[in-house]
Amino acid sequence: MKAIQVHQFGGPEVLALHEVAAPKPGPGQVLVRVRAAGVNPYDTYMRAGTYAIKPPLPYTPGSDAAGTVEAVGPGVARVKPGDRVYTAATLSGAYAELALAQEAQVHPLPEKISFAQGAGLWVPYGTAYTALHHHGAARAGETVLIHGASGGVGVAAAQLARAQGLTVLGTAGTPRGLELARREGAHQVFDHSKAGYTEEILKATGGKGVDVILEMLANVNLAADLKLLAPGGRVVVIGNRGEASINARELMSRRASIRGFTLWAATPAEAAEIHAALAAGLENGTLRPIVGKELPLAEAAQAHREVMSSGAYGKIVLVPGSA
Ligand SMILES: NC(=O)c1ccc[n+]([C@@H]2O[C@H](COP(=O)([O-])OP(=O)(O)OC[C@H]3O[C@@H](n4cnc5c(N)ncnc54)[C@H](OP(=O)(O)O)[C@@H]3O)[C@@H](O)[C@H]2O)c1
């Protein structure tokens, strides 16, 4: 089978397509024929060798695959060959024609959700759900600012928060991204590339501030976020690419807090809750993964360049077997 492999950490050019042996499912394992693989920013940090998790080389990147079950190992009861599934992490990597996963990492993909959409489920929606509910403790009637609402996590958060009864404010850096954020759930949108946009956000809350901020770029925004919080407000740090300097007094006067998390450290109970919520949202149509771009598997390097560029529009996915 064909798979992208990383033989040394480095820039996007280290992602190369190789012919490798097809994995075989052992006890409790499932082999998935990958029809689409999601590209997430953390795939690029791991490829660069700068992430908290440094896999042994060579490795195949990717945690989010969608496809059909090709084969199951002994003892697997939840899925059977031919079932449509999405993965929440894999054992062998998602950027491949076949991916091996533990049975617990494989979840049913509803008929009405395409494989490309299924490849944009676990990391984006899992992150958005856990940020909003487990870490942000967001409640219906509150106001949430999604600081970066045009990308994979932001679109998911906009859909979840809107369906949950929150007032949703979202930011993006392009007209296209702003339009997407509004269409997918934001009541009001703001351009984070324009000077003075944070004053506009505060104005939109009548000066009261927002209850929860889901922050995609804390190193740039954290200090300003604190000034946008309502009393008791929470900033949930989802993404961060450097250091930030803050005035902690902004927290004290508001009895506010800054929280951070990584999705991969979610507890089994949290993960089960996430999958149940995703199943319900996909079923009732409130969750609709947006695929902005599909690229052939061989163009993984290009996908890594694009996912780190501005102008996000939902998800970028890789499609094995396409030209
Ligand atoms: N903690 C975790 O477990 C976890 C899980 C998933 C993702 N993440 C992190 O969360 C971040 C977002 O992930 P993603 O998959 O949504 O990435 P993505 O699809 O590439 O989207 C990035 C988002 O950040 C926005 N952005 C760019 N500049 C910004 C600024 N100055 N202020 C606010 N937002 C800005 C982009 O908007 P424009 O392009 O429109 O400017 C876009 O909405 C990444 O840093 C990722 O590593 C963390």
Side-chain angles (χ1 to χ4, degrees):
M1 70 148 181
K2 290 193 169 53
I4 296 289
Q5 282 192 325
V6 172
H7 285 253
Q8 60 180 65
F9 297 113
E13 68 284 352
V14 302
L15 297 168
L17 197 63
H18 290 263
E19 189 65 38
V20 301
K24 287 199 173 54
Q29 295 178 346
V30 177
L31 187 64
V32 178
R33 175 146 307 266
V34 179
R35 299 284 302 276
V39 175
N40 290 297
Y42 96 93
D43 299 343
T44 75
Y45 319 149
M46 196 178 275
R47 182 215 71 227
T50 56
Y51 195 56
I53 300 170
K54 221 171 167 178
L57 298 171
Y59 81 98
T60 294
S63 52
D64 294 1
T68 51
V69 173
E70 182 83 357
V72 297
V76 169
R78 282 178 46 241
V79 293
K80 59 181 188 315
D83 284 359
R84 301 171 95 255
V85 292
Y86 72 92
T87 65
T90 72
L91 297 168
S92 63
Y95 292 15
E97 289 179 329
L98 292 164
L100 193 63
Q102 298 282 13
E103 184 179 14
Q105 294 172 326
V106 172
H107 301 270
L109 183 69
E111 209 52 56
K112 65 180 172 187
I113 304 299
S114 71
F115 291 119
Q117 288 178 301
L121 277 176
W122 170 240
V123 169
Y125 282 83
T127 299
Y129 184 93
T130 198
L132 203 54
H133 297 294
H134 298 143
H135 304 285
R139 293 182 297 273
E142 289 191 318
T143 299
V144 61
L145 167 65
I146 304 168
H147 217 159
S150 49
V153 176
V155 166
Q159 293 174 357
L160 282 162
R162 182 67 180 251
Q164 211 66 43
L166 283 107
T167 297
V168 183
L169 310 181
T171 78
T174 63
R176 210 171 152 246
L178 289 163
E179 199 274 322
L180 177 68
R182 187 190 288 281
R183 193 186 80 206
E184 296 306 323
H187 292 90
Q188 288 190 65
V189 292
F190 306 86
D191 186 340
H192 54 229
S193 72
K194 293 232 165 84
Y197 78 98
T198 55
E199 285 103 79
E200 294 301 314
I201 292 173
L202 201 53
K203 217 184 283 174
T205 68
K208 175 179 170 287
V210 298
D211 300 297
V212 178
I213 299 178
L214 303 188
E215 181 53 61
M216 306 302 160
L217 202 54
N219 52 303
V220 172
N221 297 321
L222 192 56
D225 283 346
L226 303 187
K227 298 184 181 158
L228 293 177
L229 286 176
R234 294 85 75 193
V235 180
V236 183
V237 176
I238 297 175
N240 181 57
R241 295 178 181 167
E243 295 195 355
S245 172
I246 62 160
N247 181 352
R249 202 167 277 280
E250 304 286 357
L251 291 173
M252 295 156 68
S253 56
R254 294 174 175 81
R255 294 193 298 158
S257 57
I258 304 170
R259 304 161 185 196
F261 73 95
T262 54
L263 179 65
W264 48 263
T267 65
E270 287 168 342
E273 181 185 327
I274 291 167
H275 290 295
L278 297 196
L282 294 171
E283 164 70 25
N284 67 26
T286 51
L287 304 185
R288 307 162 302 273
I290 301 295
V291 179
K293 185 168 267 191
E294 297 185 34
L295 288 170
L297 181 61
E299 290 184 30
Q302 180 59 18
H304 274 211
R305 285 184 199 101
E306 292 195 21
V307 80
M308 294 301 280
S309 307
S310 57
Y313 192 91
K315 285 301 301 175
I316 299 173
V317 306
L318 294 171
V319 182
S322 61

